[in-house]
């Protein structure tokens, strides 16, 4: 059976510019690590299961809101910066079209294109002002002005996936369990599973991605458990 070349297939690349995957992955991982570490810290201090649930729930709500607002502000600010640079490039194309065409040709010559051909292509692009703007922005800024991530998609993805991640280590307590180590074990499984899922988008081995997230989360939980234990012991003296 003859394989169809990737260039002839529609959507043969994953969508890397939609603005939802990065905040979703980061939100889920952050939610897991944050609440696992938070639960380990207060649990290590010897507080009651009820207090752990209260602390974990407060961490979930506060963290999800913070992540959502942070992603919205970050992505919107980046988009506004791109828009300002695009406007600057538009003005330059209107005022100095010949100089801009030469600048574009110089960039292509630096990549190995013959100068005569580079100038011909730059002049051809210049005839369509909107296409010229898109090409110049891609070449000079490395971004596509028509394909910027949505701040709302980033914010909602981050909020939802942080909440889901932070909920996982709380589940044993919400279902009636009182053992701290059970909650940490469930959180660890969540970290491993989240890392394995991420591997699907990155084409890395699922088990190495899962183990990496598990080790990072365990390190955070270990540190906060130690701090909680020390503070809890001191508070009881």
């Amino acid at each position: 059976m003859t394989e169809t070349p990737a260039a002839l297939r529609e959507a043969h690349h994953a969508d890397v510019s939609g603005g939802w995957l990065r905040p979703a992955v980061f939100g889920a991982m952050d939610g897991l690590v944050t609440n696992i570490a938070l639960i380990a810290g207060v649990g290590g201090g010897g507080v009651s299961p009820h207090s752990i649930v209260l602390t974990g729930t407060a961490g979930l709500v506060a963290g999800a809101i913070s992540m959502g607002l942070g992603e919205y502000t970050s992505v919107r600010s980046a988009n506004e910066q791109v828009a300002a640079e695009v406007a600057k490039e538009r003005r330059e194309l209107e005022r100095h079209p010949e100089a801009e065409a030469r600048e574009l040709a110089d960039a292509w010559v630096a990549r190995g294109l013959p100068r005569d051909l580079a100038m011909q292509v730059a002049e051809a692009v210049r005839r369509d002002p909107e296409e010229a703007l898109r090409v110049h922005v891609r070449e000079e800024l490395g971004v596509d002005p028509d394909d910027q991530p949505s701040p709302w998609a980033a914010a909602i993805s981050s909020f939802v996936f942080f909440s889901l991640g932070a909920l996982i280590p709380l589940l044993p307590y919400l279902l009636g369990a009182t053992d701290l180590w059970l909650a940490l074990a469930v959180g660890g499984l969540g970290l491993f599973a989240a890392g394995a899922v991420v591997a699907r988008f990155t084409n890395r081995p699922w088990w190495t991605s899962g183990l990496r997230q598990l080790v990072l989360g365990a390190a955070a939980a270990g540190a906060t458990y130690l701090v909680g234990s020390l503070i809890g012991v001191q508070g009881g003296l």
Side-chain angles (χ1 to χ4, degrees):
M1 182 176 177
T2 304
E3 182 182 1
T4 303
L8 300 181
R9 297 198 302 267
E10 241 182 274
H12 63 279
H13 286 296
D15 180 11
V16 296
S17 60
W20 69 269
L21 180 57
R22 182 194 60 82
V25 171
F26 182 65
M29 295 302 180
D30 197 29
L32 275 161
V33 173
T34 297
N35 247 18
I36 289 171
L38 189 59
I39 289 171
V42 296
V47 303
S48 67
H50 175 75
S51 296
I52 291 177
V53 171
L54 177 60
T55 303
T57 303
L60 184 158
V61 174
I65 292 173
S66 176
M67 288 289 291
L69 291 176
E71 282 292 341
Y72 179 86
T73 303
S74 174
V75 174
R76 177 150 189 175
S77 297
N79 287 354
E80 288 172 349
Q81 183 182 25
V82 169
E85 293 300 317
V86 169
K88 184 189 301 182
E89 190 64 28
R90 186 187 294 276
R91 289 193 298 271
E92 286 299 307
L93 284 168
E94 291 172 351
R95 296 171 182 172
H96 311 291
E98 294 84 3
E100 288 295 313
R102 284 195 300 272
E103 181 184 25
L104 187 60
D106 288 342
W108 289 334
V109 169
R111 296 182 187 177
L113 205 64
R115 176 162 293 278
D116 289 345
L117 179 58
M119 282 303 301
Q120 289 177 19
V121 176
E123 288 295 333
V125 168
R126 182 180 142 194
R127 296 191 189 104
D128 183 341
E130 290 304 314
E131 183 59 28
L133 178 64
R134 283 191 289 270
V135 172
H136 278 267
V137 169
R138 289 194 199 103
E139 290 292 329
E140 296 179 32
L141 302 180
V143 298
D144 187 340
D146 297 328
D147 192 21
Q148 294 302 295
S150 164
W152 283 109
I156 292 171
S157 296
S158 183
F159 179 91
V160 170
F161 282 90
F162 181 99
S163 300
L164 292 175
L167 179 64
I168 290 174
L170 274 176
L171 283 176
Y173 286 106
L174 296 176
L175 295 176
T178 58
D179 192 342
L180 172 64
W181 298 107
L182 177 60
L184 296 181
V186 170
L189 288 174
L191 278 171
F192 184 87
V197 169
V198 170
R200 182 181 181 279
F201 299 98
T202 60
N203 290 327
R204 295 182 179 273
W206 63 270
W207 58 273
T208 57
S209 182
L211 281 176
R212 179 180 60 187
Q213 297 305 325
L214 178 59
V215 168
L216 293 174
T224 55
Y225 181 84
L226 178 61
V227 172
S229 297
L230 292 173
I231 294 175
V233 170
Q234 292 175 356
L237 295 178

